[in-house]
Amino acid sequence: MKQLFTLCCLFGLACVGLQAQTWPEDNPGFKFYTVSGFRHGVSFFPKVQYPQVEYIPSSTLTFDKYHAANVVYFWMKKWAEQYPNLVEFYEVAKSYEGRPIYQMTLTNKSAGKATDKPAAYFEGGRHSGEISSTESVLWLMQYLIEQYGKDPEVTKILDKNAIHLRPINNPDGHNLYLYTAQSNRSTVRPHDNDGDGLLDEDGPEDLDGDGYILQMRWKDTINGNFIIDPRDPSGRLMLRVEPGKGNYSMNSEGIDNDGDGLINEDGIGGLDLHRNYAENWRPMQEFTGRGWVQGGAGEFPLSETETRSVVLFLLSNPNIYVVNSMDTAVPMHLRAPSTAPASAMFPEDNKWYTLFDNIGKGITGYERAGDVYQDYGGGNPLFGHGPDFGYWYYGAIWYGDEIWNSGRATKDYNNDGVIDDLDRLIMNDEEYGGTLFTNWKPYPNHPDLGYVEIGGWNPKFFLQNPPADQMERWVKNQALFNIEMVKHLPELQWGDIEVRKARTYRQDSTDYQIKVSYRNVGKLPTALRQADLVKIVRPDQVKISLPRTAVEGAHPQARILPDPNAPPPRQQRAGTPANPRETTRSAGYAQGESVNSVTITVRVYGNHEIQATASVSTTRAGILPEKAFVIK
């Protein structure tokens, strides 16, 4: 300790790194929240505490408020301490600003390792403001942990499977969103959104200091494209019209910081973690003017540590079969393809996606489910998209579901035959006491526009995410859909091991055919066709092993005959003789609710009874431990 003190005195600045990192969200004495990275605009913002958010952990976890990151991590750590045989809590990466990105794996460890079981991965919090996805992952954590040992289905899920849960993949953006009025799409890495050579120089301002970036409206009889909706006698609702035919213009709350005539066109960050995947990635700029580009894609595929950590984890754990990396707020069950029609997929794979589309709608009530390219984008591609990576590259069932309905009204309140923005306003007044809409109020001294009015819908806890008192229903239903996908994972069970005498030779030897059978009692096959095509998985492997005493010595008792249908073996490496005790044969892939088998011939010399074992290994359906049998 004395030596450490002396070193710190000599090299004081270097020893600062020995101290724990202090983040602006952790220090109640900080009045401002500062973001890291060089930028040409403001990097610090007034801190806000929203009544809809729980910032300090309470004694019980409920879902009538959103949860700040430190609260989410509190519960993850607590569960890991309380349920060590069920919960593994660990850091997978560091964010752009250096925050830890935490993850949890749930499985009954006494029933086998996580890597030996079929697995799923569920992620939230990739996009900064889409915090409903974080809550859905947190809800799922609590449900599985607390119901294990009580609910037979949950108990079976965690006995047979491993579930990896990452509630906040983008902690930088998550904290910025919950502690300031700011919002950004994904990472806070500085980015030139408007192409003027400056980074993050013109973000929004909370001019009236109410903690939200609301809307501004101002009189504009020349270029105006809004009018006050004549159906709304209160004068709150704005109706979009053709440019020049309105008497108002509108913009998000803020000023023109860079003097280019635009307001809020280049705020904090701007890259999109959901355009940064390697599959079908496209740059943000190409030089012919005739190719495809993708906004927010990043400097190169997987340039962002948050996305890269997801991909590396999945590639290192190829037993993961089902994925949902969730967003808000369409709502929709959203999946591959993102750049082609669904007919480009293997039909047998698309059949499973179609099944889950329908299952999902039945659980969540979402009206929409389908692929990104046609059903979501209307034939417009998204590049570098997670669901495309998930299917085309990783060969998995991968959804990027969108939670919440952007605050749309659920019924025709005024009985005019349509459900529109006026119904939403009536819903706000009748069911929420007007709290979801801030009435327009004067802001007379705007530096660029003069007299403006500020108001509009709550951007964080209504437009982008449900009001806190509605949140649990949405995040719970989404989590229940994810559980339903887990229930469809393949599940291996032993079938029969049949030993049949095939042929007897005069030299006192006999060939026995060993038919090893195993069942996939789950619903999904042990791999999708696409997974086999891109070689993310290996075909199911059946291995039989003979005892050493049976195959060694000058006069062995038995030997395993080569597979007559196998291709010629590769050149054996010098000094590495083949193992005569065992053989492994490919069994293809077991379809759901079916039996697969492999036949292996063993020649026995003399009248011997051979004790042997068999095992089954698959990439995505887990393993079957050794089963003993007798050759006689």
Side-chain angles (χ1 to χ4, degrees):
M1 180 61 73
K2 183 177 180 181
Q3 291 175 328
L4 179 61
F5 176 77
T6 303
L7 286 171
C8 287
C9 291
L10 291 173
F11 305 103
L13 291 176
C15 289
V16 172
L18 297 173
Q19 301 175 4
Q21 174 72 56
T22 299
W23 301 106
E25 64 269 20
D26 297 330
N27 194 326
F30 290 4
K31 294 183 179 180
F32 289 89
Y33 185 102
T34 303
V35 241
S36 303
F38 171 81
R39 62 196 82 234
H40 295 92
V42 174
S43 290
F44 56 93
F45 308 94
K47 286 180 72 173
V48 177
Q49 286 214 327
Y50 296 103
Q52 299 94 331
V53 179
E54 183 178 284
Y55 293 95
I56 299 175
S58 59
S59 58
T60 56
L61 177 61
T62 60
F63 289 87
D64 52 358
K65 284 190 175 184
Y66 290 88
H67 300 93
N70 68 302
V71 178
V72 175
Y73 299 152
F74 166 85
W75 285 102
M76 294 174 75
K77 294 174 185 176
K78 182 175 181 178
W79 288 325
E81 293 169 358
Q82 288 183 324
Y83 305 96
N85 192 50
L86 203 63
V87 178
E88 197 73 32
F89 173 70
Y90 48 96
E91 179 182 318
V92 286
K94 297 285 189 189
S95 69
Y96 167 75
E97 291 191 285
R99 288 178 176 84
I101 300 174
Y102 288 122
Q103 190 165 295
M104 174 187 285
T105 297
L106 294 179
T107 193
N108 177 4
K109 298 176 187 178
S110 62
K113 298 187 297 184
T115 50
D116 289 344
K117 301 175 182 179
Y121 171 86
F122 301 120
E123 174 198 317
R126 171 183 46 226
H127 290 152
S128 303
E130 300 176 9
I131 54 176
S132 308
S133 58
T134 293
E135 299 298 329
S136 186
V137 177
L138 184 62
W139 191 95
L140 181 57
M141 285 179 182
Q142 182 187 46
Y143 177 78
L144 292 174
I145 291 170
E146 293 188 350
Q147 292 303 309
Y148 182 80
K150 301 174 184 176
D151 184 310
E153 281 195 330
V154 170
T155 304
K156 179 183 177 182
I157 285 173
L158 295 187
D159 285 346
K160 299 288 187 180
N161 306 287
I163 301 182
H164 307 288
L165 299 153
R166 189 181 299 191
I168 307 172
N169 192 34
N170 174 20
D172 300 344
H174 180 91
N175 282 293
L176 177 71
Y177 190 81
L178 290 183
Y179 285 89
T180 77
Q182 298 294 309
S183 178
N184 73 321
R185 176 69 169 168
S186 289
T187 176
V188 302
R189 181 190 296 277
H191 178 63
D192 179 12
N193 288 318
D194 57 351
D196 64 355
L198 301 177
L199 300 171
D200 298 1
E201 80 286 353
D202 193 2
E205 285 86 12
D206 178 17
L207 298 176
D208 60 1
D210 67 349
Y212 295 103
I213 303 298
L214 297 171
Q215 294 291 300
M216 301 187 302
R217 70 180 185 184
W218 64 94
K219 290 282 189 172
D220 183 358
T221 56
I222 299 175
N223 300 308
N225 61 337
F226 284 91
I227 60 172
I228 295 176
D229 193 323
R231 301 174 302 164
D232 173 26
S234 70
R236 291 173 292 173
L237 200 62
M238 303 301 292
L239 182 66
R240 185 184 293 273
V241 295
E242 293 181 22
K245 294 189 176 181
N247 52 13
Y248 279 91
S249 286
M250 295 185 68
N251 201 87
S252 57
E253 189 179 353
I255 64 175
D256 180 9
N257 291 283
D258 57 354
D260 63 355
L262 301 174
I263 296 174
N264 303 343
E265 81 283 358
D266 195 354
I268 297 294
L271 300 181
D272 191 337
L273 298 177
H274 213 191
R275 307 292 183 268
N276 190 233
Y277 283 88
E279 180 67 24
N280 285 332
W281 183 88
R282 295 293 181 272
M284 293 181 284
Q285 181 182 7
E286 59 87 34
F287 300 107
T288 70
R290 301 181 299 278
W292 290 99
V293 294
Q294 178 62 64
E299 187 177 355
F300 51 86
L302 305 183
S303 60
E304 304 311 296
T305 179
E306 296 86 354
T307 310
R308 188 165 63 251
S309 70
V310 175
V311 170
L312 291 179
F313 180 79
L314 292 170
L315 293 177
S316 300
N317 292 271
N319 59 321
I320 294 172
Y321 201 140
V322 166
V323 177
N324 205 335
S325 49
M326 295 166 284
D327 296 324
T328 65
V330 175
M332 183 177 182
H333 295 289
L334 193 63
R335 44 84 162 190
S338 305
T339 59
S343 58
M345 302 170 70
F346 283 113
E348 53 266 56
D349 294 347
N350 191 41
K351 176 193 73 173
W352 289 108
Y353 273 109
T354 302
L355 172 69
F356 288 127
D357 290 348
N358 293 324
I359 289 174
K361 288 194 294 183
I363 294 173
T364 63
Y366 300 167
E367 293 182 2
R368 300 175 62 191
D371 68 82
V372 177
Y373 180 68
Q374 290 178 310
D375 298 308
Y376 175 78
N380 296 308
L382 283 181
F383 296 99
H385 203 234
D388 254 21
F389 168 82
Y391 177 71
W392 300 111
Y393 191 108
Y394 192 66
I397 300 294
W398 184 306
Y399 276 80
D401 281 355
E402 299 265 348
I403 307 170
W404 183 228
N405 66 359
S406 302
R408 292 189 291 275
T410 56
K411 65 180 183 180
D412 182 8
Y413 281 85
N414 59 356
N415 298 312
D416 65 352
V418 295
I419 299 177
D420 56 15
D421 217 29
L422 184 58
D423 293 297
R424 178 159 64 170
L425 193 65
I426 298 170
M427 178 183 72
N428 166 62
D429 293 342
E430 293 184 357
E431 299 188 21
Y432 292 93
T435 58
L436 301 177
F437 190 99
T438 297
N439 294 337
W440 299 101
K441 53 189 175 185
Y443 188 82
N445 297 311
H446 191 282
D448 306 305
L449 301 169
Y451 182 91
V452 303
E453 294 176 307
I454 296 174
W457 298 106
N458 185 310
K460 295 195 176 191
F461 306 108
F462 185 57
L463 293 183
Q464 199 166 23
N465 301 282
D469 64 350
Q470 282 194 44
M471 178 252 293
E472 183 168 16
R473 175 172 63 90
W474 287 85
V475 303
K476 172 184 175 181
N477 288 341
Q478 179 63 56
L480 291 177
F481 168 61
N482 291 336
I483 291 175
E484 191 63 32
M485 288 197 291
V486 173
K487 292 178 185 177
H488 283 69
L489 288 174
E491 179 186 346
L492 301 183
Q493 290 182 0
W494 273 115
D496 296 328
I497 300 180
E498 302 174 20
V499 179
R500 185 178 68 86
K501 185 183 294 186
R503 184 176 180 182
T504 300
Y505 299 89
R506 292 180 181 178
Q507 293 88 351
D508 193 26
S509 62
T510 304
D511 288 350
Y512 292 91
Q513 288 187 338
I514 318 300
K515 185 179 181 181
V516 180
S517 298
Y518 62 99
R519 292 186 294 272
N520 175 9
V521 298
K523 294 178 181 176
L524 282 161
T526 52
L528 297 181
R529 280 283 304 278
Q530 181 68 15
D532 177 62
L533 175 70
V534 296
K535 298 300 178 281
I536 286 290
V537 300
R538 293 185 178 186
D540 302 352
Q541 305 288 304
V542 174
K543 181 172 76 173
I544 68 165
S545 300
L546 306 182
R548 188 181 303 277
T549 54
V551 298
E552 293 183 343
H555 302 286
Q557 299 174 2
R559 71 184 180 97
I560 302 169
L561 299 186
D563 182 359
N565 300 315
R570 294 180 180 178
Q571 184 72 28
Q572 193 75 24
R573 192 171 62 181
T576 311
N579 186 350
R581 292 184 51 226
E582 61 186 36
T583 187
T584 300
R585 303 285 169 85
S586 173
Y589 300 102
Q591 297 301 306
E593 301 175 322
S594 70
V595 177
N596 231 19
S597 61
V598 165
T599 300
I600 299 169
T601 303
V602 175
R603 181 165 294 169
V604 177
Y605 301 98
N607 188 23
H608 296 287
E609 184 175 290
I610 309 297
Q611 305 288 330
T613 60
S615 61
V616 177
S617 172
T618 74
T619 304
R620 291 207 163 144
I623 62 173
L624 283 176
E626 287 187 346
K627 181 179 181 179
F629 65 97
V630 178
I631 305 173
K632 64 178 180 178

